[in-house]
mmCIF file of all heavy atoms in Angstrom:
data_model
loop_
_atom_site.group_PDB
_atom_site.id
_atom_site.type_symbol
_atom_site.label_atom_id
_atom_site.label_comp_id
_atom_site.label_asym_id
_atom_site.label_seq_id
_atom_site.Cartn_x
_atom_site.Cartn_y
_atom_site.Cartn_z
ATOM 1 N N GLY C 150 10.914 13.108 11.163
ATOM 2 C CA GLY C 150 11.220 11.809 11.806
ATOM 3 C C GLY C 150 10.904 10.732 10.859
ATOM 4 O O GLY C 150 10.914 10.895 9.640
ATOM 5 N N SER C 151 10.604 9.490 11.350
ATOM 6 C CA SER C 151 10.289 8.403 10.422
ATOM 7 C C SER C 151 8.791 8.001 10.531
ATOM 8 O O SER C 151 8.394 7.167 9.775
ATOM 9 C CB SER C 151 11.135 7.188 10.816
ATOM 10 O OG SER C 151 10.885 6.763 12.123
ATOM 11 N N LYS C 152 8.010 8.673 11.378
ATOM 12 C CA LYS C 152 6.646 8.253 11.663
ATOM 13 C C LYS C 152 5.588 9.304 11.454
ATOM 14 O O LYS C 152 4.427 9.058 11.709
ATOM 15 C CB LYS C 152 6.575 7.606 13.094
ATOM 16 C CG LYS C 152 7.461 6.439 13.277
ATOM 17 C CD LYS C 152 7.366 5.840 14.658
ATOM 18 C CE LYS C 152 8.316 4.642 14.804
ATOM 19 N NZ LYS C 152 8.285 4.054 16.138
ATOM 20 N N VAL C 153 5.992 10.449 10.970
ATOM 21 C CA VAL C 153 5.027 11.573 10.763
ATOM 22 C C VAL C 153 5.291 12.087 9.337
ATOM 23 O O VAL C 153 6.447 12.406 8.956
ATOM 24 C CB VAL C 153 5.142 12.657 11.784
ATOM 25 C CG1 VAL C 153 4.168 13.818 11.425
ATOM 26 C CG2 VAL C 153 4.858 12.139 13.177
ATOM 27 N N LEU C 154 4.226 12.206 8.540
ATOM 28 C CA LEU C 154 4.288 12.788 7.186
ATOM 29 C C LEU C 154 3.764 14.191 7.222
ATOM 30 O O LEU C 154 2.630 14.454 7.683
ATOM 31 C CB LEU C 154 3.478 11.909 6.225
ATOM 32 C CG LEU C 154 3.249 12.541 4.840
ATOM 33 C CD1 LEU C 154 4.524 12.508 4.066
ATOM 34 C CD2 LEU C 154 2.189 11.747 4.094
ATOM 35 N N ALA C 155 4.559 15.194 6.800
ATOM 36 C CA ALA C 155 4.133 16.549 6.600
ATOM 37 C C ALA C 155 3.866 16.778 5.122
ATOM 38 O O ALA C 155 4.664 16.462 4.304
ATOM 39 C CB ALA C 155 5.171 17.544 7.147
ATOM 40 N N VAL C 156 2.672 17.372 4.848
ATOM 41 C CA VAL C 156 2.321 17.671 3.447
ATOM 42 C C VAL C 156 2.042 19.156 3.308
ATOM 43 O O VAL C 156 1.119 19.695 3.973
ATOM 44 C CB VAL C 156 1.043 16.868 3.003
ATOM 45 C CG1 VAL C 156 0.705 17.220 1.550
ATOM 46 C CG2 VAL C 156 1.257 15.379 3.180
ATOM 47 N N ASP C 157 2.873 19.826 2.561
ATOM 48 C CA ASP C 157 2.652 21.252 2.344
ATOM 49 C C ASP C 157 1.838 21.480 1.097
ATOM 50 O O ASP C 157 2.137 20.960 0.016
ATOM 51 C CB ASP C 157 4.044 21.938 2.129
ATOM 52 C CG ASP C 157 4.959 21.744 3.294
ATOM 53 O OD1 ASP C 157 4.519 21.860 4.509
ATOM 54 O OD2 ASP C 157 6.142 21.390 3.086
ATOM 55 N N MET C 158 0.793 22.319 1.254
ATOM 56 C CA MET C 158 -0.158 22.527 0.144
ATOM 57 C C MET C 158 -0.314 24.065 -0.093
ATOM 58 O O MET C 158 -0.315 24.856 0.856
ATOM 59 C CB MET C 158 -1.541 21.956 0.440
ATOM 60 C CG MET C 158 -1.538 20.432 0.374
ATOM 61 S SD MET C 158 -3.110 19.701 0.819
ATOM 62 C CE MET C 158 -2.932 19.656 2.645
ATOM 63 N N SER C 159 -0.477 24.419 -1.380
ATOM 64 C CA SER C 159 -0.694 25.822 -1.740
ATOM 65 C C SER C 159 -1.838 25.874 -2.676
ATOM 66 O O SER C 159 -1.741 26.139 -3.848
ATOM 67 C CB SER C 159 0.541 26.389 -2.373
ATOM 68 O OG SER C 159 1.011 25.604 -3.458
ATOM 69 N N GLY C 160 -3.007 25.523 -2.200
ATOM 70 C CA GLY C 160 -4.264 25.523 -2.976
ATOM 71 C C GLY C 160 -4.546 24.141 -3.602
ATOM 72 O O GLY C 160 -5.562 24.007 -4.277
ATOM 73 N N ASP C 161 -3.658 23.172 -3.466
ATOM 74 C CA ASP C 161 -3.875 21.846 -4.059
ATOM 75 C C ASP C 161 -4.490 20.925 -2.996
ATOM 76 O O ASP C 161 -4.888 21.368 -1.940
ATOM 77 C CB ASP C 161 -2.648 21.255 -4.682
ATOM 78 C CG ASP C 161 -1.373 21.669 -3.826
ATOM 79 O OD1 ASP C 161 -1.547 21.973 -2.658
ATOM 80 O OD2 ASP C 161 -0.249 21.627 -4.356
ATOM 81 N N SER C 162 -4.463 19.638 -3.251
ATOM 82 C CA SER C 162 -5.105 18.700 -2.354
ATOM 83 C C SER C 162 -4.260 17.446 -2.246
ATOM 84 O O SER C 162 -3.390 17.147 -2.998
ATOM 85 C CB SER C 162 -6.482 18.287 -2.879
ATOM 86 O OG SER C 162 -6.352 17.614 -4.160
ATOM 87 N N VAL C 163 -4.637 16.671 -1.195
ATOM 88 C CA VAL C 163 -3.926 15.381 -0.956
ATOM 89 C C VAL C 163 -5.044 14.448 -0.455
ATOM 90 O O VAL C 163 -5.984 14.862 0.210
ATOM 91 C CB VAL C 163 -2.788 15.521 0.045
ATOM 92 C CG1 VAL C 163 -3.348 15.953 1.428
ATOM 93 C CG2 VAL C 163 -2.074 14.225 0.218
ATOM 94 N N ARG C 164 -4.917 13.124 -0.739
ATOM 95 C CA ARG C 164 -5.818 12.136 -0.214
ATOM 96 C C ARG C 164 -5.085 11.293 0.793
ATOM 97 O O ARG C 164 -3.953 10.909 0.574
ATOM 98 C CB ARG C 164 -6.380 11.247 -1.338
ATOM 99 C CG ARG C 164 -7.297 11.998 -2.244
ATOM 100 C CD ARG C 164 -7.776 11.096 -3.355
ATOM 101 N NE ARG C 164 -8.731 11.798 -4.227
ATOM 102 C CZ ARG C 164 -9.322 11.298 -5.332
ATOM 103 N NH1 ARG C 164 -8.932 10.015 -5.700
ATOM 104 N NH2 ARG C 164 -10.183 11.922 -6.012
ATOM 105 N N ALA C 165 -5.711 11.020 1.931
ATOM 106 C CA ALA C 165 -5.005 10.267 2.980
ATOM 107 C C ALA C 165 -5.975 9.328 3.656
ATOM 108 O O ALA C 165 -7.261 9.478 3.600
ATOM 109 C CB ALA C 165 -4.455 11.221 4.056
ATOM 110 N N LYS C 166 -5.441 8.305 4.358
ATOM 111 C CA LYS C 166 -6.315 7.388 5.081
ATOM 112 C C LYS C 166 -7.133 8.105 6.084
ATOM 113 O O LYS C 166 -6.731 8.966 6.785
ATOM 114 C CB LYS C 166 -5.394 6.364 5.780
ATOM 115 C CG LYS C 166 -6.162 5.298 6.563
ATOM 116 C CD LYS C 166 -5.212 4.354 7.311
ATOM 117 C CE LYS C 166 -4.461 3.439 6.360
ATOM 118 N NZ LYS C 166 -3.702 2.385 7.033
ATOM 119 N N ASN C 167 -8.441 7.756 6.132
ATOM 120 C CA ASN C 167 -9.366 8.404 6.970
ATOM 121 C C ASN C 167 -8.921 8.271 8.440
ATOM 122 O O ASN C 167 -8.612 7.161 8.919
ATOM 123 C CB ASN C 167 -10.800 7.906 6.823
ATOM 124 C CG ASN C 167 -11.847 8.772 7.322
ATOM 125 O OD1 ASN C 167 -11.823 9.941 7.103
ATOM 126 N ND2 ASN C 167 -12.786 8.198 8.040
ATOM 127 N N GLY C 168 -8.869 9.412 9.191
ATOM 128 C CA GLY C 168 -8.491 9.336 10.567
ATOM 129 C C GLY C 168 -6.982 9.480 10.822
ATOM 130 O O GLY C 168 -6.519 9.403 11.997
#
Side-chain angles (χ1 to χ4, degrees):
S151 61
K152 299 181 180 181
V153 177
L154 171 69
V156 181
D157 302 315
M158 286 176 277
S159 55
D161 38 20
S162 66
V163 63
R164 292 176 176 178
K166 181 182 291 187
N167 199 43

